[in-house]
């Protein structure tokens, strides 16, 4: 009998649609995929070269459990350069991808029964990881009217004596929304007043459009900084999803708690990837700008095409590489392949009828929407959104 804890973790409800997409592709069907959660660019050459050099130089052994001093220094330099924040090296931990960082933070902070406040739409792994540490998720729902962002008042109303941790993710996966400095300041004031912690997931910080500014909540004063754990990594900005390097920056006692646990679970992240991550963070940043320019063009294109479709409403994402249109106007209609009642049936019939794969919003806690990743070529975007437009005309 497997453990109660493992049985509490649900296979993602959105998997049904992505499994179906994979089956269709295997059968040779021409499926357009908008599901990808990763950039479609290759890791830049100078970063790859650093990984290759690490292998050739024999840097293939254990490192310190929470990462090389050289990498922690590169992270500290990055946090000073981009956020104006000073972190000592023992306040930084390097982990096996930002997903692992998020898990470590939860395990370091949350006791059984503690409440973790999660704004929805949320990244799918947050609530499942809360279950892994026996915490209780408290979901704060938002919709397009508030640009999918929580307010300080909403947070204040959700706080109970059991509240322990708030999760913030700006720019957001799945909505692409970015919190302004003022919005974050109001949230920080509530956090400090109640003395809860904040996990600030900043993995999309470099992917910003239309002059949007990334602010880390940790920048907003000493008190909030003490309560914040920044999570970041190299996966998205440097197209390094397979290298598995994420990191945390926090007060030293949380970093030490993470270090204790990591030393008995994964130990160090791959040594080779760590050397490549040093190059990513401290080397030439031009490839990030190049990728950003491509994403910006695709973003304009997908928004233009989506907004030409009657009945689709899509806010302009200010960051990341996702569009999160509202599709609930079609619930209650029927597609040639069956009735549409929610985001899962919408995406299922879209896939069957138009051969376009999107992720149902319910997986992110927002059943009125679907997520489309624009980490694909302009030709793919044109073809895919064109298919959606033709398919919605068949709904009755
Ligand atoms: C919001 C968010 N946080 C963290 C991660 C995890 O990143 P990594 O691939 O470094 O584990 C992702 C990846 O999809 C993400 O979207």
């Amino acid at each position: 009998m497997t453990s109660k804890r493992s049985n509490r973790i649900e296979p993602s409800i959105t998997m049904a649609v992505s499994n179906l997409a994979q089956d269709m592709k295997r059968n040779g069907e021409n499926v357009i995929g908008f599901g990808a959660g990763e950039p479609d660019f290759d890791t830049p050459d100078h970063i790859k070269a650093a990984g290759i050099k690490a292998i050739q130089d024999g840097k293939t052994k254990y490192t310190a459990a929470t990462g090389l001093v050289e990498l922690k220094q590169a992270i500290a330099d990055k946090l000073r350069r981009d956020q104006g924040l000073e972190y000592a090296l023992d306040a930084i931990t390097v982990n096996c991808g930002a997903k692992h960082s998020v898990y470590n933070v939860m395990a370091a902070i949350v006791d059984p029964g503690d409440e973790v406040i999660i704004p929805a739409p949320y990244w799918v792994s947050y609530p499942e990881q809360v279950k892994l540490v026996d915490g209780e998720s408290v979901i704060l729902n938002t919709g397009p009217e508030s640009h999918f962002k929580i307010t300080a008042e909403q947070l204040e109303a959700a706080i109970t004596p059991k509240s322990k941790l708030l999760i913030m993710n700006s720019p957001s996966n799945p909505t692409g929304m970015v919190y302004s400095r003022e919005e974050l300041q109001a949230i920080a004031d509530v956090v400090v007043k109640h003395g809860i912690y904040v996990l600030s997931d900043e993995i999309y910080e470099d992917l910003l459009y239309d002059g949007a500014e990334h602010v880390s909540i940790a920048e907003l004063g000493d008190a909030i900084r003490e309560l914040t754990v920044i999570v970041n990594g190299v996966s998205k900005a440097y197209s390094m999803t397979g290298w598995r390097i994420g990191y945390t920056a926090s007060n030293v006692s949380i970093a030490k708690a993470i270090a204790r646990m990591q030393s008995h679970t994964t130990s160090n992240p791959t040594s080779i990837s760590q050397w490549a991550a040093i190059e990513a963070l401290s080397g030439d940043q031009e490839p990030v700008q190049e990728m950003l320019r491509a994403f910006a063009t695709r973003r304009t294109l997908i928004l233009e095409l989506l907004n030409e479709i009657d009945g689709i409403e899509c806010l302009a994402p200010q960051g990341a590489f996702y569009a999160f249109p509202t599709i609930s106007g079609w619930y209650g209609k029927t597609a040639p392949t069956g009735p549409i009642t929610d985001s899962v049936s919408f995406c299922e019939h879209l896939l069957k009828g138009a051969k376009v794969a999107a992720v149902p919003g319910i997986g992110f806690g927002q059943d009125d929407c679907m997520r489309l990743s624009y980490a694909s070529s302009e030709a793919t975007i044109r073809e895919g959104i064109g298919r959606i437009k033709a398919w919605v005309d068949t709904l009755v």
Side-chain angles (χ1 to χ4, degrees), residues 37-38 96-102 123 126 169 171-173 201 203-204 231-236 240-241 244-246 322 371:
E38 61 185 349
C96 308
K99 184 177 281 188
H100 183 217
S101 311
V102 172
W123 180 46
Y126 298 142
N169 173 217
S172 153
N173 173 8
D201 182 341
I203 192 93
Y204 293 101
V231 168
N232 207 330
V234 296
S235 298
K236 312 286 176 172
M240 291 176 72
T241 46
R244 312 307 305 134
I245 296 290
Y322 308 106
R371 191 191 75 176

Side-chain angles (χ1 to χ4, degrees), residues 70 75 129:
E70 291 88 339
I75 293 165
Q129 293 197 351

